[in-house]
Amino acid sequence: MFYKTVLRFTFLPSFINILGPLAAFTIFIGLTGQHVLAAEPGTIKGTVRAVAASGATTRSTFIADAKLTLTNRATPDQPLRTVSNASGDFAFENLPSGDYMLTVEANGLAKATKEFKLESGALLVIDIDLAATVNESVTVRDEEGLASTSDTSTSNIIRIDTLKNQPLRNEIFQNAIQLTPGAVNDTRGTDYLKGTRAGQSGYTVNGADVTDPVSGALAFNIPLEAVSSVQIEENPYSASFGRFTGGVVNVQTKGGGDKFKVSAARFFPTFHNIFTSKVDTFRPRLTVSGPIIPKKLFYMQSVEYRFSRTYVSSQPKPDNTIVQEGLNLFSQLDWNVNKNNSVRLNVAIFPNKIRNLGLDTFNGVNPTPNYVEHGLLFSLSEQSVFKEGSFLASEVSYKTFDINVFAKTNLPFNLAPEANSGGYFADTRRKSSRTQWQETYYSRPIEFHGAHSVKAGFEFYHTQIGGQLRYSPIFIRRIDNTLAQRIDFTPSSPLNYRYNDAAGFVQDRWVASAKLTLDYGLRIDRDGVTRRTNFAPRFSMLFQPSKDARTVIRAGAGIFYDKSLSSLGYIDGGNANDPTPQTAQLEQFPERIVTNYAANGTTVTDGPRVFDIRIGGSLRSPRSVRWSTQVDRQISSSITLRLGVIQRWTKNDVLIDTLTGGVGTGTLLLTTNGRSRYTEFQSVLIYNSEKYGHWNAFYVYSRSRGDLNAADRFFADTPQFVVRPNEYGRQPFDSPHRVMFYGQVEVSKKYKIRISPLIELRSGFPFSAVNERLDFVALRNAAGRFPLYMSLDAQVSKAFKLPVVKDKHVRVGVAVYNITNHFNPRDVQMNLTSPNFGTFYNSLRATFKAKFDIEL
């Protein structure tokens, strides 16, 4: 009934209202054949080698200065040319999608030619082996992994096969983030990239922003089979990236082709303790793709139903589970209008509900809320290739994200040292939408003291937020159940706010020589919340100093401006920079009324004290400065070692602090005075072998410090219970040491058996100590750390031939998580008045999950 109601009454009207104009717009593009409306540019890179055979031994050497010519069928008279560098590497970047032919020539060796198709946003690797005879080998594959020799900054590219083969718990594309050095994932699934909070990184799908307009965090779900690759930019120095301080995660989706395909996965549920009838997870996925008009119009449709239970071992049965249920639908149409124009339409719908959100050791079923979200995404992109070989990529997208958080009971909400009780205090109903328009122009390569690849563009965002917040009283009780503090809330007016953001950028990639590549650019952002214009220059480089071409040095520096917290717009009609900011109030948020009580629980010692929410000083946009240096050394043909250092300083973060005034008055003061600092050293070992598989191992030392009263937690859909004075110290996600090892190998090609282990060890997160009123005692996040987190996971699968369908397989297997059943607690008793202070609870136990995939 839930999904029938959601789809019928919530999504269907919006779907019809928006799809109609977009469909008409798409038809108009097809009829005119002209650019009206950003398809993602593609990249082709690879290595040229000379191959010599001596008896049974084959040897290869890198070829420098090999001549490569790339021709796009849409512009056959405008070929692109380059030469391989000292290590035989080459790259063609900022390419439109289309059909290409690559020709490779080197003195004394046979010429190689290869034709292939480049999809929008694809990253193709072409390995070229040239021999002295007419024999040559050209292999085309999708790029994947941490190793890259032609880019000035590093990224981690995770393809769909790796996502499906690695033992990742939730089977969602977000799992790829934890496979990246400098990313930390907590046991509740939240990712912290490069020492930042979840809302400080950028997330896109085919270039369209998919973050929550309010929190800035990822707010998008998609079936795993619809994903082609996930690219995590560790140091995104390109000026085309903006609105973040951490990293950038971009998802590329699959399209249809000239062959009809069907894939199905996870149609068998996982049962609790294997032998019981209680279902733990059930996530069936079905994907269908193929041609509507051969070589012209293609479709891909993917649907997924998700049901899962997360167990809290420290709560009594049967009230010990968080139950999540969701539906993800993703559709894609790709239209090759003509040889110069192509159009892509994406439609995604992803309703989701969670029962007992936040259930843990101290919050049972009643004091936790239920959570319902409705998400919708439309994206229309177009690519126009011009006669001189340049092209224009455009995109218009529309996203909605609605949240309802509500209590199960009207009982008063009580916070006590051992267990909270009553009904949840915050009722949140909000609706948000964002319209995005992007235009990016990619010039034809320019020859001037080397090769220049220039791109320039602009972005425009229109955001609307509405809803209502209703908070009920909070009662903070001592260990003997007497009342220590009471927090009441004033009524608030409905949320209603809209604003516009805009940005422009120009970026040049200059291949100055075979050994040196420079990337530099400038980005200008107009922040619609703070009403400020921000300038962000960026620079990065790649240098190969050694004669053997096995050493690569990368360095970069840049300024980055994050998206401002949208909640700051709820100030006197949305004017964040009021002429008298010290008197501006957030009237659309409930104010807190705090009363403190003596030990008997009835005598008032302070209050009632009303805390107004006010702005302190003129608001500024969050700003970070980052620099990094990395050295890659190819130890052998299969092994590469990377050492790197990253530092980032952030200021102008939004803080909320408590100030007490005269009798009965106080202020929750919002400022943009927040600051943080992140330092990282990484050591990465990459091994690639056709025989022994692909393996990655890394160790990361990091240090994350900053102001701890970040305002996004106060304005969250599940806001923090109490607000205490700000401090500067360890971030709650600070994990100094992290080690990860993962990979996959075909242990038996004859029997098609694949093994994919994953090992992670990291320092436990810090925690604080609090007293009977939940005031912090001593320094925050300095009372201790959670125990060492260690998890050994593995997935084993085997492929079986289908008896009826030729050349098709079914893959069956099992994934095992935390094989050693290591104690990985998720909760700790922080209240000093409890006799259990410092005790850890709620560990993730060893679990099993069956695997069954079929593709026709």
Side-chain angles (χ1 to χ4, degrees), residues 550-569:
R550 290 189 172 187
T551 301
V552 177
I553 299 175
R554 293 181 179 85
I559 297 174
F560 303 83
Y561 285 91
D562 201 355
K563 47 193 173 292
S564 291
L565 191 65
S566 297
S567 305
L568 292 179

Side-chain angles (χ1 to χ4, degrees), residues 20 83 114 143 151 265 344 431 620 656 750 792:
V83 295
K114 182 71 174 181
E143 185 176 12
D151 293 328
R344 171 184 288 176
K431 297 178 179 293
R620 298 178 297 274
I656 187 165
K750 178 180 179 181
L792 170 59

Side-chain angles (χ1 to χ4, degrees), residues 372-570:
V372 177
E373 70 179 27
H374 306 154
L376 175 69
L377 174 69
F378 283 87
S379 174
L380 183 63
S381 60
E382 194 266 357
Q383 171 187 280
S384 291
V385 182
F386 304 120
K387 292 182 179 180
E388 75 277 10
S390 64
F391 71 102
L392 186 67
S394 310
E395 184 169 67
V396 174
S397 64
Y398 176 75
K399 173 184 173 60
T400 66
F401 193 65
D402 303 338
I403 296 292
N404 290 333
V405 181
F406 50 92
K408 307 183 187 74
T409 174
N410 292 326
L411 294 174
F413 187 50
N414 292 285
L415 304 180
E418 298 297 336
N420 302 331
S421 61
Y424 189 67
F425 79 102
D427 185 281
T428 301
R429 313 293 170 113
R430 71 168 171 89
K431 297 178 179 293
S432 58
S433 67
R434 172 168 288 155
T435 303
Q436 179 183 358
W437 176 27
Q438 298 181 83
E439 295 282 347
T440 307
Y441 175 76
Y442 300 86
S443 76
R444 175 180 171 80
I446 302 169
E447 297 295 330
F448 181 75
H449 298 287
H452 296 261
S453 297
V454 180
K455 61 181 176 180
F458 73 85
E459 305 167 5
F460 175 81
Y461 303 84
H462 175 70
T463 303
Q464 298 186 73
I465 302 169
Q468 182 74 62
L469 305 177
R470 298 182 180 92
Y471 295 171
S472 58
I474 297 175
F475 299 88
I476 301 176
R477 299 189 178 275
R478 301 180 178 90
I479 195 72
D480 60 2
N481 204 40
T482 57
L483 187 61
Q485 187 177 86
R486 172 172 175 161
I487 304 174
D488 293 282
F489 298 90
T490 62
S492 62
S493 59
L495 308 177
N496 186 12
Y497 179 51
R498 64 184 63 190
Y499 63 96
N500 300 321
D501 294 319
F505 69 89
V506 61
Q507 179 78 23
D508 178 28
R509 177 184 174 89
W510 178 18
V511 182
S513 68
K515 291 187 174 184
L516 179 64
T517 300
L518 304 175
D519 261 319
Y520 47 90
L522 175 67
R523 183 180 180 89
I524 303 174
D525 285 279
R526 176 62 178 177
D527 190 327
V529 176
T530 62
R531 302 189 179 185
R532 290 180 178 270
T533 301
N534 305 305
F535 295 85
R538 317 270 178 83
F539 170 81
S540 59
M541 60 163 285
L542 179 150
F543 179 57
Q544 293 179 291
S546 60
K547 292 184 178 180
D548 62 7
R550 290 189 172 187
T551 301
V552 177
I553 299 175
R554 293 181 179 85
I559 297 174
F560 303 83
Y561 285 91
D562 201 355
K563 47 193 173 292
S564 291
L565 191 65
S566 297
S567 305
L568 292 179
Y570 306 134

